[in-house]
Amino acid sequence: MRRSGLLLALVAVLLCLTAAPATAQRAALPDIEDEVMCVSCEIPLNVAESAQADKQRDLIRALIAQGRGKEQIKAALVAEYGEDVLALPDRSGFGITAYAIPLALMALLAGGLVVLLPRWRRRTPAGIGVAAAPELSDFEARRLDDELERYER
Amino acid sequence: MKRVTVAVLAAVVAAALIGMLAYGLDAREVDLSIEQALARGERPTAPSRELAVLDAAPATRSVSDLRGKVVVLNFWASWCGPCEAEAPVLDRAQERLERAAAGTVLGVTRDDSTPDSLKFVREHDVTYPSVRDVDTKLARDYASRNVPETFVIDARGRIAAARRGAVDEAWMDEALAKVLP
């Protein structure tokens, strides 16, 4: 009786675990709205107030109602409105600077660290941060020996 | 020596950043080259791209396909109020061009989904064909930023008239008079 109860509980837990990802993947309008652009107003859809933005939201709601996932909905939006619907900078022209500048800055930073770190190390005085052991008095040395002897017995 | 190198490097980076900013600002400026050419009495070549036909994809159509015919190229979207208002004017222009076997109105939808565009076509009894400019590349070729915008193209594939905003009967009559024999 007890075993069958445990088995039932285990099955229930397993069912919850398998059902959880499906629930987590279910798309929601606010979750998509902040990752796509209102194509006519060129601002994120979640802050856009226009007739075109409303039509775009209607389309997203319809796709959610069809049970489509977030990535599927974004792909459908690209098919309808083009790449500009994704809240990403252009991959050509001026937009490429949005990708190039962070990479250039990271390379510059890495280069700077490669050059400067060895210098900083050389400048650091040897042994800094390691406290020198204090000298023991005769009394302390004798006491330490006694303690060690007692410990070894 | 090293200090000079660092200073030069910093100056180069700063100049590059300022240059990119200036380029970005310049790219955002409104392009009026078509209007300026028309004002000089010139007829600039009409840009052309193969675009999917609204209700018959993957079939495509382009302005170049219609060389030898007059084309009234109209950028529109279903959510645009002025596009609704001008639809009857464009329908009458289509009737006139068809009757004279002189050409066609060619709608170009942008920033609009296929179901919304098709609903607009049904509700407003639109009789002329439309293509979908999904990536707004054709719109960019015409320096088009909004809807509606209309370009009347002569039989030699050159822009004869342009309107940024809704068209009315008077404007359409005047524009067609320039291109019809």
Side-chain angles (χ1 to χ4, degrees), chain A residues 49-65:
Chain A
E49 292 293 336
S50 72
Q52 192 272 318
D54 290 341
K55 291 247 182 188
Q56 217 172 309
R57 285 190 196 98
D58 288 345
L59 178 64
I60 296 171
R61 283 192 199 97
L63 292 168
I64 291 171

Side-chain angles (χ1 to χ4, degrees), chain A residues 52-134:
Chain A
Q52 192 272 318
D54 290 341
K55 291 247 182 188
Q56 217 172 309
R57 285 190 196 98
D58 288 345
L59 178 64
I60 296 171
R61 283 192 199 97
L63 292 168
I64 291 171
Q66 286 171 18
R68 304 253 196 120
K70 187 175 165 182
E71 292 311 312
Q72 287 174 314
I73 292 172
K74 283 165 93 171
L77 289 174
V78 169
E80 291 293 349
Y81 299 106
E83 290 281 340
D84 288 351
V85 77
L86 299 176
L88 295 170
D90 285 348
R91 287 178 199 151
S92 60
F94 184 67
I96 210 147
T97 55
Y99 300 99
I101 288 177
L103 285 175
L105 287 177
M106 277 168 67
L108 211 66
L109 195 70
L113 284 174
V114 165
V115 171
L116 293 174
L117 271 179
R119 281 189 197 175
W120 287 337
R121 267 194 194 164
R122 276 200 297 274
R123 275 187 202 168
T124 311
I128 204 164
V130 180

Side-chain angles (χ1 to χ4, degrees), chain B residues 17 42 56-57 83 158 165:
Chain B
L17 286 173
E42 296 167 8
C83 300
R158 303 171 310 167

